[in-house]
Amino acid sequence: MDENITQHFRPDEAPFIAAVGNWLQQSQDEYRPVLTHFLNPRQVYVATTLARRADVPVRFSGGYPGAEMQRALFYPDYYQPTDTDFELSLVRIDYPVKFATLHHSQILGTLLGSGIEREIIGDILTDGQTWQLVTETGMLDYLTGQVDRIGRVKARLVPADWATRVRPLDEWTPETATLSSLRLDNIVGSGFHLSRHRAKELIEAGKIRVNWADTEKPDYELDVADLVSVRGFGRIRLDEVAGRTKKEKIRVVLSVLKK
């Protein structure tokens, strides 16, 4: 990928930028659609930017409007994508509802612990009682045959019809803030109204992930569409960097999802 492009992104994003470059080249050289695994919001942002620069059409889908994790489809001009091109399936988690409680972290931890890669799992949804997840259709048989427990709870994964998809309880709250920098500790402190010292303690204690990757660097610089998970508090998404004030403070728009 051209250095003029990569310089606009973080150094740690270089492997993903190279992957996007390969997908774009493949779609152009073979003149056909190229479908990716699930991408997180930041990856969707980067892929959109690079596809636009390369003048290659791209669409995203996570199975329903507003999905957080989405698959990308790069395609030539002649092609007209449909929903089936994204090869997505819905799975219901059957468990003893009256006697057990499940949590998002339990479900994801069980899936990853069984050898399933994060990139083949989309959103995990709940209405407070029913739990569902989105996955790649090609992994459906493996998933339904692999999992018989979620944590200590006996459970099984069952294919579900999209018409039964639950409406998620989670609601993101938009917030605006004026910050001295886009450091991780600054964003965490602002999003959850914590002191910068407390935010730094949480980061250094390993209780924070950025785009599902562990980080213990309080000075890690965030960018648009980065998703921060804070154990025990919830999640923050950096939606927009909206310029600077007269005092050179940075205006940002955040979305906050509190536990």
Side-chain angles (χ1 to χ4, degrees):
M1 185 68 69
D2 191 332
E3 283 189 12
N4 291 329
I5 295 175
T6 58
Q7 69 181 357
H8 295 291
F9 301 99
R10 292 188 298 253
D12 63 352
E13 293 177 317
F16 179 70
I17 291 168
V20 175
N22 290 336
W23 294 326
L24 292 169
Q25 194 66 50
Q26 186 178 5
S27 180
Q28 291 174 315
D29 290 348
E30 301 176 14
Y31 207 50
R32 68 173 180 84
V34 173
L35 181 64
T36 73
H37 293 302
F38 285 98
L39 308 180
N40 64 46
R42 174 62 182 174
Q43 291 172 328
V44 168
Y45 174 81
V46 172
T48 301
T49 303
L50 297 179
R52 187 180 299 122
R53 292 183 68 115
D55 199 26
V56 174
V58 61
R59 276 183 55 183
F60 302 90
S61 178
Y64 67 98
E68 190 172 279
M69 300 290 289
Q70 302 186 72
R71 302 186 79 177
L73 185 75
F74 301 97
Y75 57 94
D77 292 329
Y78 78 87
Y79 196 78
Q80 295 297 321
T82 65
D83 290 343
T84 58
D85 287 320
F86 291 94
E87 301 177 14
L88 299 170
S89 290
L90 186 67
V91 176
R92 184 182 72 252
I93 302 175
D94 279 356
Y95 70 104
V97 176
K98 293 183 179 180
F99 306 105
T101 301
L102 296 183
H103 300 282
H104 185 285
S105 57
Q106 279 181 310
I107 296 168
L108 184 58
T110 296
L111 295 173
L112 299 184
S114 65
I116 296 167
E117 297 291 334
R118 181 64 183 92
E119 62 185 5
I120 70 162
I121 301 296
D123 286 4
I124 298 174
L125 313 172
T126 187
D127 60 3
Q129 181 169 302
T130 299
W131 285 88
Q132 300 172 335
L133 61 92
V134 183
T135 187
E136 298 179 5
T137 299
M139 293 299 295
L140 189 59
D141 288 344
Y142 179 82
L143 271 173
T144 54
Q146 186 75 7
V147 176
D148 59 8
R149 287 184 177 277
I150 302 293
R152 296 182 178 180
V153 178
K154 189 173 182 180
R156 65 191 185 107
L157 304 186
V158 181
D161 190 278
W162 282 104
T164 67
R165 179 182 64 83
V166 299
R167 183 180 295 274
L169 279 179
D170 298 344
E171 290 190 6
W172 292 86
T173 302
E175 292 192 13
T176 58
T178 303
L179 306 173
S180 58
S181 75
L182 299 179
R183 285 172 50 122
L184 179 58
D185 53 0
N186 248 356
I187 298 288
V188 170
S190 178
F192 292 117
H193 307 290
L194 305 171
S195 69
R196 189 160 165 179
H197 176 71
R198 176 60 176 144
K200 185 177 179 181
E201 285 182 335
L202 291 170
I203 297 166
E204 293 177 341
K207 295 186 177 181
I208 290 180
R209 309 188 89 197
V210 178
N211 300 325
W212 289 274
D214 293 326
T215 181
E216 296 181 7
K217 298 179 179 179
D219 62 349
Y220 186 85
E221 286 281 327
L222 297 182
D223 208 335
V224 173
D226 276 334
L227 188 68
V228 181
S229 302
V230 185
R231 194 183 311 161
F233 288 85
R235 293 187 287 172
I236 304 168
R237 188 177 63 235
L238 176 54
D239 288 338
E240 184 181 354
V241 178
R244 291 180 178 268
T245 68
K246 291 180 180 179
K247 294 184 178 180
E248 288 300 302
K249 297 284 188 178
I250 304 171
R251 293 192 184 96
V252 299
V253 179
L254 308 173
S255 286
V256 181
L257 180 63
K258 296 180 180 179
K259 275 198 168 184

